[in-house]
Amino acid sequence: MDEKSKLLICLGSATAANCIPCFEHSFGKAKTAGMKNEEIQEAVDLASQVKKGAHLAIKNCING
């Protein structure tokens, strides 16, 4: 797997896990690797959608 893909996975995982130190670490590495903010934002947005879906599923299970 290429380095860019690994960094995007790390950024998405850190976002989904709400791990600020992990995100900051991966963000720094991504910027050093020359990644653009738009690429990073896309990974963050996708992870946020997944996280939101998981929260809705849990809420529906409890309230269902």
Side-chain angles (χ1 to χ4, degrees):
M1 181 181 298
D2 64 290
E3 189 65 19
K4 180 179 172 181
S5 295
K6 290 177 185 179
L7 289 168
L8 290 171
I9 290 169
C10 289
L11 288 162
S13 299
T15 299
N18 290 323
C19 183
I20 301 302
C22 296
F23 183 85
E24 290 174 343
H25 176 76
S26 296
F27 181 80
K29 289 181 79 170
K31 294 305 285 183
T32 300
M35 292 178 63
K36 297 185 184 326
N37 285 343
E38 293 82 11
E39 297 173 290
I40 295 168
Q41 186 64 57
E42 185 176 10
V44 169
D45 290 345
L46 289 170
S48 295
Q49 289 174 9
V50 170
K51 182 170 62 171
K52 182 179 179 182
H55 286 176
L56 288 174
I58 291 168
K59 184 177 179 180
N60 288 338
C61 183
I62 294 169
N63 295 327

